[in-house]
């Protein structure tokens, strides 16, 4: 069942990639402008998240609230997992848009998007297998929500600064130099 769900959202990623290649190329032509504007937006959101975590975290609660359309998968029968996967794919695409946009600009974009979707699906399959063990981790996150939110906001703002200053490439180079030296790469 979880595999059908994964195939559903993978189909969405492939379809979006097949129809958005031209749009992605146009974005690349204006990437510096989008990077600067995006950097300032990311800084603003990061500062907002960090400040509200310190002084009034309840302001964020309406934005963190889950919103759903009432769907009854039981009415779909055996079609429920792939249909729910398609719905998930459309709903989650904004969260992973930059990665998908960069993949769509490559000639082999559809194959890469299929691999990306299936790779993204592995955690869902593992989650379906080990959901009971996850509840303890969720309790820890709930207890530490304020410091996690504060650190996340600060890191988000710093990432925006890196975007504006064009230092993302330098950060990428540094990570590529450091990763081979880490002990788990032996």
């Amino acid at each position: 069942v979880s595999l059908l769900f994964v195939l559903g959202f993978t189909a969405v990623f492939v379809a979006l990639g097949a129809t958005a290649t031209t749009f992605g190329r146009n974005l690349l032509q204006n990437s510096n402008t989008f990077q600067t504007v995006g950097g300032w937006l990311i800084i603003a959101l990061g500062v907002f998240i960090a400040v509200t975590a310190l002084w009034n975290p309840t302001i964020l609660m309406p934005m963190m609230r889950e919103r759903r359309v009432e769907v009854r998968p039981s009415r779909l029968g055996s079609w429920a997992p792939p249909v729910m996967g398609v719905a998930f794919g459309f709903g989650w695409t904004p969260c992973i848009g930059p990665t998908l946009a960069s993949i769509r600009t490559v000639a082999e974009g559809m194959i890469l998007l299929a691999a990306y979707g299936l790779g993204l699906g592995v955690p869902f399959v593992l989650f379906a297998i080990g959901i009971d063990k996850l509840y303890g981790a969720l309790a820890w996150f709930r207890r530490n929500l304020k410091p996690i939110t504060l650190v996340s906001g600060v890191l988000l703002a710093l990432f925006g600064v890196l975007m504006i200053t064009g230092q993302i490439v330098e950060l990428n180079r540094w990570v590529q130099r450091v990763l081979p030296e880490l002990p788990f790469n032996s």
Side-chain angles (χ1 to χ4, degrees):
V1 171
S2 58
L3 187 58
L4 291 174
F5 175 79
V6 169
L7 290 174
F9 69 74
T10 299
V12 170
F13 295 157
V14 172
L16 287 174
T19 59
T21 301
T22 303
F23 181 68
R25 286 187 185 140
N26 289 333
L27 284 176
L28 277 178
Q29 290 173 350
N30 299 303
S31 64
N32 288 339
T33 302
F34 284 112
Q35 185 171 336
T36 301
V37 170
W40 282 110
L41 180 63
I42 288 172
I43 290 171
L45 291 172
V47 168
F48 175 76
I49 290 170
V51 168
T52 55
L54 286 174
W55 283 286
N56 191 1
T58 58
I59 291 174
L60 291 175
M61 289 308 159
M63 291 181 258
M64 293 180 175
R65 189 176 350 205
E66 186 174 345
R67 290 161 180 81
R68 305 177 182 209
V69 175
E70 183 64 32
V71 177
R72 300 195 182 185
S74 59
R75 293 183 179 176
L76 298 173
S78 62
W79 286 94
V83 169
M84 299 307 288
V86 167
F88 172 82
F90 279 114
W92 208 31
T93 295
C95 300
I96 54 174
T99 303
L100 290 178
S102 64
I103 290 173
R104 286 187 294 232
T105 62
V106 180
E108 300 87 14
M110 288 176 43
I111 294 169
L112 291 173
L113 283 167
Y116 181 82
L118 293 173
L120 179 67
V122 168
F124 285 95
V125 174
L126 294 175
F127 179 82
I129 294 169
I131 192 168
D132 290 335
K133 295 179 181 178
L134 182 67
Y135 289 121
L138 291 176
W140 181 87
F141 277 103
R142 248 184 257 119
R143 284 191 310 271
N144 295 290
L145 185 60
K146 188 173 182 175
I148 290 170
T149 303
L150 175 64
V151 170
S152 297
V154 170
L155 290 174
L156 189 61
L158 290 173
F159 187 80
V161 170
L162 290 174
M163 283 180 68
I164 290 172
T165 60
Q167 295 300 307
I168 297 266
V169 173
E170 292 304 316
L171 176 63
N172 186 26
R173 287 182 187 143
W174 178 80
V175 169
Q176 288 177 355
R177 281 192 312 268
V178 169
L179 280 180
E181 297 172 9
L182 292 178
F184 54 81
N185 284 332
S186 56

